[in-house]
Amino acid sequence: MSSKCLSVLLTVLMISNCTGVPVNYAIDEEKGSDYYLGKISDGAKLRNFTGITSDAEFESLRYNLLSSGNPDAQFFTVNERTSDLYTTKTIDRDELCRFSDTCILQFEVAADTSASDFFTKINIIVNILDINDNAPSFSSEVVNLALSEATVLGTSAWKGGADDRDHGTFSVQQYQLLPTDTPFAIETEFYADGRTQVTLKVNQNLDREINSSFTLTIKAVDGGVPPKTGSVTINVQINDINDNAPKFAKSIYNITINEDLPENTVILKVHANDPDEGSNGEVTYKLSTLQSADIFRLFKIDLQTGDIRITQSLTQEESKQFKIIVEATDKASSPLTSQTQVIIYVLDTHNTAPEVTVTTISSKINGEYIEYSENANIGITMAIVLVTDHDSGYNGAVTCTLNDDHFYLKSEGDNEYNIVLGNSLDREINEWHEIVTTCSDAGSPRLSSSASFRLHVLDVNDLPPVFTQVLYKINVEENGPKSVSVVQVHANDNDVTADQNVRYSLELAEDYKDIFSIDSTNGLIYVEQSLDRETYPTITFKVLATDSQPQPLTGSAMVEVTVLDANDYDPVFTPSEFQFTVPENRPPDISVGRVMAVDADSGINAELQYTLLPMSSESPPFRVLMNGTILTTMYFDREMTAQYTFSVMASDKGYPSRSSTATVIVNVQDENDNPPIFIFPGQETDEIRVSYQSLPNTVIATIQAYDPDSSFNSHISYIMNGSNILDNFELNTHTGQFSVTSQLDQSDIGTYDLILTAVDNGEQEHQRSVKLVIIDKATVAASQSESEIKYFAIAVAISCITIVLSVLIVLAICLIKRKERQHHEKIAESVTTCSSLETDSEGSDIRFGDVCTRGILHKSSTNSLRRNDQSRNDQSSKPNPIKKPFTTVVSVDEVIPEVISDSVEIWDWADSEYSRNTGQSLPRDLEPFSTFSSTTLTKQKNKVHWQASQC
C-alpha cells in the first residue's frame, strides 16, 4: 500500500474516532451577552487526543460554531483561536422551555488545523438552570363578591389561580388567606401541567349584623429563597336576610300610675330594635289580640311610635294592676314578631305609712344590743326586715334604706329584706353601731317609718403597733463619740387585748449591723461607732415594733440618719498642675482657664475659694475669681516673657480652714506682631558688589534677617524687585543666597537699584533698598585689597589684646605658685625608713616599704593610679623584707597622683617614686601593698595629704 493511501486511511480513522466528543456546561438563565462558559478545548481534552502530535499542532487548532440548521447555536459564540465559549444574548429559560422539566441547548463546534489532517466535531450540551426571576401573579388584582348571610357552609365563593412562569420549586408552592380570623378558608389543587387552583369557601356562618363586609387577600407564594409572592384582593359584601325578629329593650315593663290620670295620657313608650336592614328592620307595634277585652277598652298603642295611652280614667276600676301584651312586627315579606309584657300598677288616692319590723339573728344582750367580732365574715345576715303597706300603687310601693354603709339590704321577696354585713368592722374606729332601717312609700307626700337595733363590735388582735412617726430624721456628728443614744422611738397598739408590751428591734443592712443598736424595751437607738460622712453620708434603716400576742403583729418605721460633716479633708486639685495658653497683646480680664479643686466634705466645709500665690517675689499678672477662673491683669508681650508659673491655693470655709495648692503654668501664645529685621544688608551697607566676570551659580552674598516672633510667625522668606538686570540673578527665598544665574558681560557694568523684602509667614514684611554694583575685575581686586588691609588691622589688634591677657594670666599663675610653694615648705618633712605600708587615723599619712611620703595628691587623669588587684592578690602571702633602708624627700610639686575610687591601687605611683629615690624597683613581696585598700584614705575635696619621713 502506498504512503499516500496510508495517510488517507489514518485521517479517516482519526476523524471517526474523534467525532461527537460531548462537552457539558450548566448556566443560570438570564445571564447577559458575553457570559463566559468555559474553554471547549479543555472540556473536550483535545490536547490528549491521539491525533494531536505536538503542542504546536494543538495551538494551531481553529474552532468554528456549526450553526446551520441548529436554532440553539444562536445563543452562543466561540473564539476561533482560544475555543472560549460565550453567550451572545440573554437566555430566558421560562420562554424557551416553560413546560419542560429540563432545558437543554445543543450544538456542535468543529475543530481543525491547517498543520495536519486533524478534524473533529465537539458536541456542546448546555443545561439552562432555572432561577426564581418571576413572581406569581393573578389575572385580576381585585375581585368583588356578594354573598347572602344564609350561604351554606362549604359553599365555594370564588375560584382562581396564580400564574408563575418559573418551573419546579420556583413555581407556586402554597396559598395563604389573610386575615386568618374570618369565616372563610381556602383549598388548593396542584395539576400535573404545573398549574394551581385555589378555592375560597365559606366555613363559618355569615352574619351581616356582625360583619357586613370582608376584605380578604389571597397570597400565592413560590419556593424561592427568599420567596416571591403575588396576591389578589377579594371584597366580599354580605347581603341581608330577615333572620332577626324585633327585640324589645325589656322583656317586662313595670310602671306605676295614679288612678286619676286624664284621658289619652301617655303612660309608657315601648321600643323594639330589629338589626336587619331595609324593610326587614322596620318595626310596627300593636296590642296582642289574645288578652282581656278590658285591655282594649282602657289602653291603646301607637302603631309607629309604641306610645301606650289610657283611653279613659281609671278611678272607677276595681283592679289596681293590669298586664298588657305588646307585639312588635317587622315589614319583611315573611315578617317576624316578638312580644313584651307591660305591668301597670294603679295608685289609690289614700296613703298610709308602711309598718317596719326588724328581727335580729343572734339574741340581744340584756335585750338591748347584739355582739359580733370585728373579724366577722362579710356577707353574713344580721337581721330580717319585714315591711307591710296596705296601700296600693305608689302609696303601697315601699323602698327601704339603711343609715350605715357597713351594711346593705338584700331583697328576699315582696317587702322582705335581709340586713347583710357589707364592709369589715373595725372596733378601733367604731365600737358601737346604731343600725336604722327606714322604709318609705312612693305616695305624695311620701310617708315613712323606721326600726333599729344596736351592734357592739368585739376586739381581736388585728392591728400592729404604730410608730408615732413614719420617718425619724436625726443628725449625728461625724467622728463623734461611740455608744451614745441618738433618738428614742415609740409605737402604740390600739387593740384592747394588747398589754402594750411592745418589743423594739432594728432591720439593718450588713454594712450597718455593727454601727447601730436599740434598747428593745424603751426604743433608744444608739450609735456604736464613730461615723465617717464621706463613707456613709446618709444611712437609712427600718425600726420594728412587735406586740406580745400569741400571733404577734409587727409595725415598722424608717430611720434616716444624716451624718453632719466635719472638716477633715483637704481640697484636692485634679490635676495638680494646670497648663493654659493666653494670646499676647490682649486687654486685661481675659480668661485663660479655670482651675478646679474638689473637697470630699460637704456644706460649708466643701465651699471653696481660690487665692493666687506667686512663686517668686513678684506677683504674677493674673487674678483668680472665687470659682477658680483665672483672668489676666495686663497686656502680654511674648517677646518679653513667654511663660509664667505661679500657684493657686484652694481653701474651704470650714473651721479651721483646710487648703491645698496647684501649680499653674501660663504660656503666652505668639502673635505676628513683629516684622522681620535685616541683618545684612544692614544700616551701614547699602550696596552689593559683583564682577561681571563672575561665573554662573556663584553666590555673591547671603541676605539675612531675623524675626523676634516664634515658630510659624518667625519663618522668613526673601523677595527681590528692581531693574531688568535682575533676570541674571537669583535670590533663594528660604536661605537668602543671592547668586548669579547667567554670565554677565562688560556692558552690564553699572549701578542698579535693588529692593529686598523679608516677609514672615504672618505676612509682616520689611524692605531694604540697596545698590547692586557690577564692576570689572580690577576694581574688585582693589576693593579686596582694601578689605584685606582692614581685616589685617583687626587681626593685629586682636593679637595684641591676646598677648596682654596672656601676660596677665602668667603673672597670676606665678603668684599662685609662689604662695603654694611657701605653704608646702612649711609642711615638708624628711623621709624615714619604715617596715610596712600604713595610714594614720586621719588618713593623711601613707607609708610603704621603708619610705614615708607627705605631700598633696591631686586629682588628675584617671590613668595616674591604676588598679592591680591581681598582682596584689598574687603577692599577698609573700614575706615583706626590706633589704636596704634609704632616706629621701619627695618634692611636693612632683607628686600629683590621683585617687579615683574606694579600691584604687597606688602601686604604680609608689613604684615610680621608689625607683626615682633609690634607683631600684619597689620589691614585689612588699606585704602591706597586698592588703592595702584605699578605703583607709579619707577624701578631702579631691585632695589627699601625704607625709614622708625617715624611719
Side-chain angles (χ1 to χ4, degrees):
M1 183 182 295
S2 65
S3 59
K4 183 176 182 179
C5 293
L6 182 59
S7 176
V8 171
L9 180 60
L10 290 174
T11 301
V12 171
L13 291 174
M14 185 184 306
I15 294 173
S16 64
N17 290 332
C18 299
T19 302
V21 177
V23 176
N24 293 292
Y25 296 97
I27 63 170
D28 292 335
E29 66 170 332
E30 299 299 329
K31 297 296 184 183
S33 59
D34 296 327
Y35 179 80
Y36 177 73
L37 281 76
K39 189 182 289 293
I40 295 175
S41 61
D42 293 342
K45 299 181 181 180
L46 294 181
R47 189 182 293 273
N48 299 328
F49 269 41
T50 56
I52 303 300
T53 59
S54 65
D55 290 340
E57 185 178 1
F58 174 79
E59 296 297 332
S60 66
L61 289 176
R62 297 295 178 265
Y63 304 87
N64 294 291
L65 185 67
L66 303 179
S67 58
S68 177
N70 188 349
D72 293 349
Q74 64 177 315
F75 297 101
F76 304 92
T77 182
V78 64
N79 188 288
E80 180 183 16
R81 293 182 175 275
T82 63
S83 76
D84 291 335
L85 183 63
Y86 296 87
T87 59
T88 59
K89 62 179 69 175
T90 300
I91 302 174
D92 188 352
R93 182 197 181 285
D94 308 314
E95 184 71 25
L96 292 175
C97 315
R98 181 178 180 186
F99 301 104
S100 299
D101 293 336
T102 60
C103 187
I104 304 298
L105 301 181
Q106 298 188 52
F107 54 92
E108 292 181 321
V109 173
D112 63 350
T113 176
S114 59
S116 67
D117 295 329
F118 177 84
F119 173 84
T120 186
K121 288 193 298 182
I122 303 169
N123 185 21
I124 306 300
I125 301 172
V126 181
N127 184 10
I128 308 301
L129 304 177
D130 189 28
I131 62 173
N132 191 24
D133 59 336
N134 293 286
S137 62
F138 290 85
S139 58
S140 299
E141 293 182 355
V142 179
V143 174
N144 296 314
L145 300 177
L147 296 176
S148 171
E149 63 179 337
T151 302
V152 179
L153 297 181
T155 300
S156 297
W158 178 82
K159 290 186 177 182
D163 180 39
D164 193 336
R165 292 170 57 84
D166 293 323
H167 187 74
T169 58
F170 295 143
S171 62
V172 176
Q173 300 297 308
Q174 61 173 322
Y175 289 90
Q176 299 174 356
L177 176 63
L178 301 173
T180 58
D181 56 343
T182 64
F184 298 90
I186 57 173
E187 291 181 358
T188 305
E189 294 178 277
F190 294 87
Y191 298 103
D193 59 1
R195 291 185 302 109
T196 58
Q197 180 174 276
V198 61
T199 302
L200 179 67
K201 290 190 174 184
V202 179
N203 70 340
Q204 294 179 22
N205 291 324
L206 302 177
D207 191 341
R208 188 204 64 79
E209 287 71 33
I210 297 176
N211 283 314
S212 61
S213 64
F214 298 88
T215 300
L216 309 175
T217 299
I218 297 178
K219 182 186 292 185
V221 183
D222 65 21
V225 179
K228 294 182 180 295
T229 62
S231 63
V232 59
T233 301
I234 300 178
N235 298 316
V236 181
Q237 184 69 33
I238 308 301
N239 294 332
D240 183 59
I241 63 171
N242 190 28
D243 58 341
N244 291 284
K247 185 177 181 180
F248 285 94
K250 296 181 179 180
S251 59
I252 298 177
Y253 289 86
N254 288 289
I255 63 170
T256 301
I257 62 175
N258 292 330
E259 60 183 359
D260 56 351
L261 288 176
E263 183 179 323
N264 208 32
T265 299
V266 176
I267 60 173
L268 179 67
K269 180 182 182 69
V270 295
H271 178 72
N273 180 55
D274 192 336
D276 294 325
E277 65 179 0
S279 61
N280 294 336
E282 295 180 9
V283 179
T284 60
Y285 305 91
K286 69 176 182 176
L287 300 178
S288 174
T289 58
L290 300 177
Q291 52 188 330
S292 171
D294 290 337
I295 300 299
F296 294 96
R297 180 175 58 87
L298 298 174
F299 304 97
K300 65 179 180 180
I301 189 168
D302 189 277
L303 181 68
Q304 301 297 331
T305 65
D307 291 337
I308 299 176
R309 301 172 184 267
I310 58 173
T311 59
Q312 60 186 45
S313 175
L314 302 179
T315 57
Q316 302 299 321
E317 300 296 321
E318 294 182 0
S319 176
K320 298 301 180 182
Q321 179 177 327
F322 300 92
K323 293 183 180 180
I324 303 174
I325 298 174
V326 179
E327 290 183 352
T329 305
D330 60 30
K331 295 182 179 180
S333 57
S334 298
L336 297 177
T337 300
S338 62
Q339 295 181 339
T340 188
Q341 188 176 13
V342 179
I343 300 176
I344 301 173
Y345 299 95
V346 181
L347 296 179
D348 62 357
T349 57
H350 182 70
N351 190 16
T352 59
E355 297 176 0
V356 180
T357 302
V358 177
T359 304
T360 59
I361 299 300
S362 63
S363 298
K364 291 184 178 180
I365 307 298
N366 298 326
E368 296 180 0
Y369 58 90
I370 61 175
E371 290 182 335
Y372 278 89
S373 172
E374 64 178 328
N375 62 353
N377 294 328
I378 294 176
I380 65 170
T381 300
M382 294 188 168
I384 297 173
V385 179
L386 295 177
V387 182
T388 302
D389 194 329
H390 300 289
D391 295 323
S392 62
Y394 286 113
N395 294 336
V398 179
T399 58
C400 299
T401 60
L402 294 175
N403 67 326
D404 195 326
D405 58 5
H406 284 82
F407 310 92
Y408 67 92
L409 290 172
K410 181 181 179 182
S411 177
E412 293 294 334
D414 292 341
N415 296 328
E416 183 177 346
Y417 303 92
N418 289 343
I419 297 178
V420 180
L421 180 63
N423 293 313
S424 298
L425 300 174
D426 191 336
R427 187 207 64 81
E428 290 73 29
I429 297 176
N430 196 350
E431 185 177 355
W432 290 92
H433 293 266
E434 182 78 23
I435 304 169
V436 179
T437 304
T438 301
C439 296
S440 303
D441 62 24
S444 180
R446 296 172 65 92
L447 300 178
S448 63
S449 58
S450 61
S452 64
F453 65 94
R454 297 182 71 198
L455 169 65
H456 181 234
V457 181
L458 302 177
D459 185 52
V460 296
N461 187 33
D462 60 341
L463 292 174
V466 177
F467 283 91
T468 57
Q469 295 179 220
V470 177
L471 175 65
Y472 293 87
K473 291 187 175 183
I474 59 175
N475 295 328
V476 177
E477 293 288 342
E478 181 180 17
N479 304 323
K482 303 178 181 178
S483 301
V484 296
S485 62
V486 293
V487 69
Q488 184 174 21
V489 297
H490 181 72
N492 297 315
D493 194 329
N494 292 326
D495 287 323
V496 174
T497 56
D499 59 5
Q500 298 300 322
N501 188 14
V502 176
R503 308 292 292 178
Y504 298 97
S505 61
L506 298 180
E507 187 176 287
L508 295 167
E510 191 66 31
D511 292 345
Y512 309 146
K513 286 186 176 179
D514 297 332
I515 300 178
F516 298 97
S517 65
I518 189 170
D519 189 311
S520 61
T521 58
N522 60 21
L524 278 173
I525 297 178
Y526 294 86
V527 176
E528 301 293 348
Q529 298 180 7
S530 295
L531 298 178
D532 182 9
R533 189 204 66 83
E534 288 71 32
T535 304
Y536 301 114
T538 302
I539 301 175
T540 303
F541 55 87
K542 186 181 290 186
V543 59
L544 306 176
T546 306
D547 61 30
S548 57
Q549 295 301 307
Q551 295 180 344
L553 298 177
T554 300
S556 66
M558 298 303 296
V559 178
E560 182 180 286
V561 179
T562 300
V563 182
L564 300 180
D565 185 54
N567 193 22
D568 54 351
Y569 280 88
D570 291 333
V572 176
F573 282 95
T574 303
S576 60
E577 180 178 287
F578 296 85
Q579 293 207 13
F580 303 117
T581 301
V582 61
E584 63 176 333
N585 303 321
R586 294 293 188 274
D589 288 332
I590 296 296
S591 173
V592 301
R594 182 183 179 187
V595 297
M596 184 173 293
V598 177
D599 196 319
D601 294 317
S602 66
I604 194 171
N605 295 330
E607 293 182 13
L608 301 180
Q609 55 189 3
Y610 298 90
T611 308
L612 189 145
L613 301 176
M615 296 188 70
S616 62
S617 58
E618 297 182 2
S619 297
F622 301 94
R623 63 188 181 95
V624 61
L625 302 181
M626 296 302 292
N627 65 354
T629 300
I630 298 175
L631 304 178
T632 62
T633 61
M634 58 174 264
Y635 284 84
F636 291 95
D637 186 350
R638 190 205 62 81
E639 288 72 38
M640 295 295 293
T641 304
Q643 187 182 82
Y644 295 89
T645 301
F646 54 91
S647 295
V648 172
M649 180 175 68
S651 306
D652 60 33
K653 296 182 180 179
Y655 182 80
S657 177
R658 303 176 73 101
S659 63
S660 62
T661 60
T663 301
V664 179
I665 300 174
V666 179
N667 295 301
V668 181
Q669 184 180 2
D670 183 53
E671 287 190 351
N672 191 27
D673 55 349
N674 292 285
I677 299 174
F678 276 98
I679 300 173
F680 177 83
Q683 296 296 331
E684 303 83 6
T685 306
D686 60 355
E687 66 178 31
I688 299 174
R689 292 174 172 267
V690 59
S691 171
Y692 78 91
Q693 296 178 343
S694 297
L695 297 177
N697 299 323
T698 299
V699 177
I700 303 168
T702 299
I703 310 302
Q704 293 181 338
Y706 79 95
D707 193 318
D709 293 320
S710 66
S711 186
F712 181 83
N713 294 328
S714 64
H715 296 169
I716 298 174
S717 301
Y718 300 96
I719 304 171
M720 66 175 180
N721 294 290
S723 173
N724 293 333
I725 194 66
L726 294 180
D727 293 340
N728 298 314
F729 297 89
E730 180 182 69
L731 177 62
N732 190 303
T733 59
H734 300 293
T735 64
Q737 290 183 338
F738 186 67
S739 57
V740 179
T741 58
S742 60
Q743 185 63 54
L744 303 173
D745 56 33
Q746 197 166 5
S747 63
D748 295 325
I749 294 174
T751 300
Y752 303 90
D753 291 329
L754 176 62
I755 299 175
L756 298 176
T757 304
V759 183
D760 61 25
N761 281 346
E763 298 185 354
Q764 291 264 18
E765 65 177 39
H766 184 206
Q767 292 185 343
R768 286 281 292 160
S769 297
V770 297
K771 302 292 185 180
L772 176 62
V773 181
I774 301 176
I775 58 178
D776 59 18
K777 186 174 182 180
T779 307
V780 172
S783 176
Q784 288 178 347
S785 176
E786 293 176 358
S787 298
E788 288 174 358
I789 294 172
K790 178 181 176 181
Y791 293 146
F792 178 76
I794 293 172
V796 170
I798 292 173
S799 299
C800 292
I801 293 171
T802 302
I803 291 171
V804 172
L805 290 176
S806 299
V807 170
L808 293 175
I809 292 171
V810 169
L811 290 175
I813 292 173
C814 291
L815 291 174
I816 293 171
K817 282 290 186 177
R818 182 177 179 183
K819 290 183 179 181
E820 200 174 68
R821 187 180 301 273
Q822 292 173 354
H823 174 72
H824 290 166
E825 287 175 353
K826 291 179 181 180
I827 64 172
E829 295 181 2
S830 59
V831 178
T832 60
T833 301
C834 302
S835 60
S836 63
L837 177 65
E838 299 175 349
T839 61
D840 61 12
S841 61
E842 297 297 323
S844 60
D845 293 341
I846 297 180
R847 301 174 180 273
F848 55 92
D850 42 13
V851 176
C852 292
T853 303
R854 178 177 295 273
I856 298 174
L857 180 62
H858 297 276
K859 257 194 167 181
S860 58
S861 68
T862 58
N863 294 325
S864 299
L865 296 178
R866 297 187 301 273
R867 297 173 183 266
N868 198 356
D869 294 338
Q870 184 64 36
S871 300
R872 182 182 63 188
N873 292 336
D874 293 342
Q875 302 296 330
S876 61
S877 59
K878 294 181 180 180
N880 186 27
I882 303 296
K883 296 180 179 180
K884 293 180 68 178
F886 64 93
T887 301
T888 184
V889 176
V890 181
S891 173
V892 174
D893 296 331
E894 296 172 349
V895 181
I896 311 177
E898 179 187 6
V899 178
I900 59 174
S901 71
D902 287 344
S903 59
V904 67
E905 293 288 356
I906 61 171
W907 181 273
D908 289 341
W909 174 82
D911 183 59
S912 63
E913 288 300 309
Y914 188 89
S915 175
R916 188 168 67 86
N917 287 277
T918 64
Q920 300 178 14
S921 296
L922 191 66
R924 292 297 171 181
D925 56 351
L926 190 63
E927 179 63 22
F929 263 91
S930 63
T931 57
F932 176 74
S933 172
S934 66
T935 56
T936 60
L937 300 179
T938 301
K939 295 182 180 180
Q940 300 177 359
K941 294 185 179 179
N942 297 327
K943 293 183 180 181
V944 179
H945 299 282
W946 297 73
Q947 180 179 1
S949 62
Q950 179 70 38
C951 295

